[in-house]
């Protein structure tokens, strides 16, 4: 007898798991299919340093902000029941900018403390920072209720919350919108005078994956007031604890998860999806299929050509993904002792656990120009996170060591001049360490092992189109009610019973689970409206297949350490 399900989720990233968890909690029989050997996608933690056993590293996202916005996915699904815990206390400050001369600005959750830090460089900037935070917070108060609901079917409750935000914000919302629509360069020039604050904010905003001169890149600055409103948290044991808790929730409600199981195509008949075919040839039936993959992969690889109208095909061809050919370079390092910052001896370990390093705006712009031309600068802008400072479960018991997590965005995806990242990544890793050494001398003498991951390796490891963890660039034309494209708006596709979720779906990427939650709610609403009965078991023999694979996290990475 062929086993059938109410819903199949293609993709075991955190949004796919969130979608499955909500469906399972609602009583649906769900199956999650993940092509890789472990769940979680970029929200993963595992031992990847052969010479440093017991040192755990976060492969991708590690800062949880949107999960603090209520109603929270963590609270609604009751993930605490599945051994999910937050590091206590929450991360504070969220980051500290260090100047080459020994100055620093810590960005605390308490905005008054942050203003006191800024005031040492410019009293005028401290006042302006408050004004900017007020404007962006007013904008978020209006936008957040909308982004947690349906993109084009706004409920009365959501409308009331949006109206209340507008009433509270009055003129502030328009100012916040103007910041969002401006370039980072324009915002910094208009609002601030000190090079230190400008450089700190510009460096953190490089996650825009574009030059700071680009129109509407000010969108990335909206994250900063979010720190003051909601704070930042991390799970005990690393980012992987979030998808692990989601998986436990799914299984507790009767759902199944299969890893190392690649889907070949989505099956449909007469414009309606009825299941999937695996690479093994096995067919699995379901009333609904939700593809938690990037839009390009869904439309060009998983959907049958006859199910893709030309309108959708054209929109996918025009979808902006990694538009400047910039991506991420990652360097993970295990140390046998904590790094020491001699010029910042007045700062404790918590303040120095997330540091932003960039000599000046001119240096940042030069680094960006180098990336756009397929090369790099010798002092690249750095954001270094030391997760082990707050969470000692990430290092072996009794260890005095630490982990360094360098996550460089806006790095050239491909190198120019006939060079290749696989042969050049070690030189760039050395440039990163040399830059860090200017602030924490002696760090390189304490390295046990390290792992460099170049942009092409990220793309191949996570099997995402152009390596983009946003799936669709967060630019104005690809945000809002028609994200990622009009033909896929509202998590729907042209095929009845086939849904799209993941970072490219409404409202955005990042670690939130909101796209997965929104998709599940819409699937449940449609099922209730049509009162569709559960599918009876089919009487077709499935193709032979191996047993379901475990969802355990592997103990080691396939990447070789940097020499």
């Amino acid at each position: 007898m062929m086993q059938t399900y109410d819903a199949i989720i293609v993709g075991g990233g955190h949004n796919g798991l969130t979608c499955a968890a909500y469906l399972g909690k609602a009583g649906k029989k769900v199956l999650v299919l993940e092509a890789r050997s472990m769940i979680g996608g970029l929200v993963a933690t595992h031992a990847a340093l052969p010479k440093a056993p017991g040192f755990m590293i976060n492969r991708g996202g590690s800062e949880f902000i949107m999960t603090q916005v209520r109603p929270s996915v963590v609270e609604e699904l009751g993930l605490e029941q599945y051994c999910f815990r937050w590091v206590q206390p929450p991360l504070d400050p969220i980051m500290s900018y260090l100047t080459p001369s020994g100055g620093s600005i810590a960005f605390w959750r308490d905005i008054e403390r942050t203003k006191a830090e800024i005031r040492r460089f410019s009293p005028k900037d401290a006042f302006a920072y408050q004004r900017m935070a007020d404007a962006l917070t007013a904008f978020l108060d209006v936008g957040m209720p909308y982004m947690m609901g349906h993109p084009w079917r706004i409920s009365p409750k959501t409308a009331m919350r949006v109206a209340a935000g507008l009433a509270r914000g009055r003129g502030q919302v328009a100012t916040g919108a103007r910041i969002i629509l401006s370039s980072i360069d324009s915002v910094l020039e208009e609002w601030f005078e000190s090079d230190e604050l400008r450089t700190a904010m510009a460096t953190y905003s490089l996650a825009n994956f574009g030059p700071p001169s680009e129109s509407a890149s000010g969108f990335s600055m909206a994250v900063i007031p979010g720190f003051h409103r909601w704070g930042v948290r991390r799970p005990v044991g690393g980012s992987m604890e979030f998808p692990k808790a989601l998986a436990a929730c799914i299984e507790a409600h009767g759902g199944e998860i299969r890893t190392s199981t690649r889907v070949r195509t989505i099956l449909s008949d007469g414009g309606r999806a009825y299941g999937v075919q695996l690479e093994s040839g096995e067919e699995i039936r379901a009333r609904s299929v939700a593809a938690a993959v990037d839009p390009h992969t869904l439309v060009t690889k998983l959907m049958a050509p006859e199910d893709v109208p030309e309108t959708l095909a054209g929109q996918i061809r025009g979808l902006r993904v990694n538009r400047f050919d910039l991506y991420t370079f990652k360097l993970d390092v295990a140390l046998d002792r904590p790094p020491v910052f001699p010029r910042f001896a007045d700062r404790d370990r918590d303040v120095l656990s997330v540091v932003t390093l960039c000599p000046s705006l001119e240096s940042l712009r030069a680094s960006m120009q180098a990336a756009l031309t397929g090369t790099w600068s010798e002092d690249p802008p750095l954001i270094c996170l030391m997760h082990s400072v707050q969470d000692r479960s990430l290092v072996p018991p009794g260890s005095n060591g630490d982990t360094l997590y360098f996550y460089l965005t806006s790095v050239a995806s491909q190198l120019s001049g006939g060079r290749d990242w696989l042969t050049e990544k070690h030189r760039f890793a050395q440039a990163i360490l040399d830059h860090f050494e200017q602030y924490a001398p002696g760090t390189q003498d304490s390295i046990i092992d390290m792992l460099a991951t170049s942009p092409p390796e990220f793309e191949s490891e996570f099997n995402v189109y152009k390596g983009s963890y946003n799936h669709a660039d967060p630019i104005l034309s690809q945000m809002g009610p028609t994200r990622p494209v009009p033909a896929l708006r509202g998590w729907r596709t042209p095929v009845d019973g086939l849904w799209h979720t993941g970072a490219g779906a409404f409202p955005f990427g990042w670690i939130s689970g909101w796209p997965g939650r929104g998709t599940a709610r819409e699937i449940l609403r449609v099922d209730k409206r049509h009162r569709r009965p559960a599918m009876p078991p089919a009487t077709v023999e499935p193709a032979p297949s191996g047993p379901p694979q475990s969802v355990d996290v592997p103990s080691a990475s396939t990447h070789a350490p940097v020499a």
Side-chain angles (χ1 to χ4, degrees):
M1 299 290 288
M2 178 181 290
Q3 199 167 16
T4 61
Y5 298 85
D6 291 311
I8 292 174
I9 313 299
V10 181
H14 83 276
N15 276 302
L17 294 170
T18 300
C19 181
Y22 274 92
L23 292 174
K25 194 171 182 181
K28 302 297 183 181
K29 184 179 181 181
V30 298
L31 170 66
V32 178
L33 301 173
E34 168 56 44
R36 299 175 67 232
S37 62
M38 64 178 181
I39 59 171
L42 272 166
V43 185
T45 309
H46 54 94
L49 304 173
K51 297 179 184 177
F55 283 81
M56 305 298 292
I57 63 173
N58 292 310
R59 289 301 291 143
S62 64
E63 309 298 74
F64 289 66
I65 301 175
M66 298 304 166
T67 48
Q68 313 311 309
V69 184
R70 294 184 175 179
S72 164
V73 166
V74 173
E75 293 176 355
E76 288 185 334
L77 293 174
L79 297 187
E80 296 84 357
Q81 301 174 48
Y82 309 105
C83 302
F84 183 81
R85 294 178 296 130
W86 294 114
V87 171
Q88 298 294 342
L91 186 64
D92 200 15
I94 173 58
M95 68 168 176
S96 296
Y97 170 67
L98 308 184
T99 73
S101 60
S104 61
I105 302 174
F107 289 78
W108 302 89
R109 183 173 182 184
D110 181 352
I111 196 169
E112 293 299 326
R113 292 186 72 181
T114 303
K115 286 163 58 181
E117 301 265 352
I118 297 170
R119 197 172 291 118
R120 293 182 299 165
F121 296 93
S122 168
K124 178 182 175 182
D125 282 359
F127 177 72
Y129 185 85
Q130 177 74 71
R131 289 176 50 236
M132 172 182 280
D134 288 345
L136 288 172
T137 299
F139 182 85
L140 292 177
D141 282 344
V142 171
M144 284 299 183
Y146 167 71
M147 288 187 284
M148 287 191 287
H150 194 282
W152 42 269
R153 192 179 59 253
I154 301 175
S155 69
K157 182 179 179 180
T158 297
M160 289 178 63
R161 293 181 64 190
V162 170
L166 286 169
R168 286 192 304 268
R170 295 187 178 93
Q172 297 279 23
V173 175
T175 302
R178 182 170 176 269
I179 293 170
I180 295 292
L181 296 172
S182 300
S183 70
I184 294 172
D185 278 346
S186 296
V187 172
L188 297 179
E189 289 292 334
E190 176 181 345
W191 287 76
F192 305 119
E193 64 180 10
S194 66
D195 189 65
E196 292 82 3
L197 182 58
R198 289 177 177 177
T199 305
M201 297 187 70
T203 303
Y204 198 85
S205 299
L206 283 178
N208 178 59
F209 290 101
S213 59
E214 185 191 13
S215 297
S217 56
F219 173 82
S220 59
M221 288 193 174
V223 178
I224 293 175
F227 301 152
H228 302 302
R229 171 62 66 86
W230 298 293
V232 178
R233 310 208 73 159
R234 296 174 184 161
V236 174
S239 302
M240 185 67 186
E241 296 305 308
F242 183 45
K244 281 176 64 177
L246 290 168
C249 178
I250 293 166
E251 292 171 342
H253 288 92
E256 302 173 37
I257 301 173
R258 293 173 61 176
T259 56
S260 301
T261 306
R262 186 176 295 277
V263 172
R264 175 183 296 163
T265 189
I266 293 166
L267 301 172
S268 64
D269 182 36
R272 170 158 182 80
Y274 64 86
V276 300
Q277 183 184 65
L278 307 182
E279 288 286 1
S280 65
E282 178 185 358
E283 292 187 4
I284 308 174
R285 304 294 180 98
R287 183 169 59 193
S288 298
V289 178
V293 299
D294 67 90
H296 188 274
T297 295
L298 169 62
V299 174
T300 66
K301 295 183 179 180
L302 295 181
M303 292 177 65
E306 59 270 22
D307 287 334
V308 181
E310 178 54 34
T311 299
L312 173 57
Q315 290 172 3
I316 291 298
R317 289 194 299 269
L319 186 69
R320 302 293 297 278
V321 181
N322 198 1
R323 60 200 183 283
F324 291 105
D325 289 325
L326 301 175
Y327 194 50
T328 298
F329 189 100
K330 180 93 175 326
L331 179 63
D332 294 290
V333 184
L335 306 177
D336 63 14
R337 59 184 182 274
V340 177
F341 297 82
R343 294 197 300 277
F344 308 92
D346 59 326
R347 297 292 198 175
D348 62 27
R349 271 171 58 80
D350 283 347
V351 176
L352 297 173
S353 66
V354 181
V355 293
T356 301
L357 310 176
C358 184
S360 64
L361 270 179
E362 289 69 26
S363 173
L364 183 147
R365 290 176 179 133
S367 179
M368 176 60 70
Q369 185 58 39
L372 291 171
T373 56
T375 183
W376 70 74
S377 62
E378 292 300 322
D379 56 350
L382 300 181
I383 296 179
C384 177
L385 298 86
M386 290 174 272
H387 298 115
S388 56
V389 171
Q390 285 83 22
D391 185 2
R392 297 305 292 174
S393 70
L394 299 176
V395 297
S399 171
N400 189 43
D402 266 322
T403 58
L404 303 182
Y405 168 109
F406 294 98
Y407 203 71
L408 284 74
T409 57
S410 297
V411 173
S413 295
Q414 301 292 334
L415 297 177
S416 59
R419 295 178 301 161
D420 184 84
W421 266 122
L422 295 182
T423 56
E424 294 289 320
K425 70 175 184 177
H426 304 303
R427 290 184 57 240
F428 188 52
Q430 188 60 54
I432 292 171
L433 293 172
D434 289 344
H435 188 186
F436 187 75
E437 189 92 1
Q438 296 174 31
Y439 298 82
T443 299
Q444 296 189 57
D445 295 334
S446 65
I447 294 176
I448 305 172
D449 201 358
M450 58 186 180
L451 168 67
T453 309
S454 65
E457 289 172 307
F458 254 114
E459 183 173 356
S460 62
E461 179 179 352
F462 295 102
N463 195 31
V464 176
Y465 180 64
K466 289 192 174 181
S468 173
Y469 61 69
N470 285 312
H471 290 187
D473 290 354
I475 56 179
L476 288 180
S477 61
Q478 296 176 177
M479 298 293 284
T482 60
R483 181 168 174 83
V485 295
L488 296 177
R489 68 186 186 277
W491 311 292
R492 289 176 175 268
T493 73
V495 180
D496 189 22
L498 174 60
W499 304 84
H500 171 239
T501 190
F506 181 85
F508 43 59
W510 306 326
I511 306 175
S512 69
W514 294 1
R517 177 173 64 182
T519 308
R521 287 174 174 171
E522 187 66 0
I523 292 173
L524 293 171
R525 186 191 70 83
V526 170
D527 279 358
K528 182 178 180 180
R529 186 183 67 186
H530 292 292
R531 300 186 182 277
R532 293 170 177 164
M535 293 180 63
T539 57
V540 180
E541 289 294 326
S545 63
Q549 301 296 310
S550 167
V551 298
D552 290 343
V553 182
S555 60
S557 169
T558 56
H559 292 291
V562 177

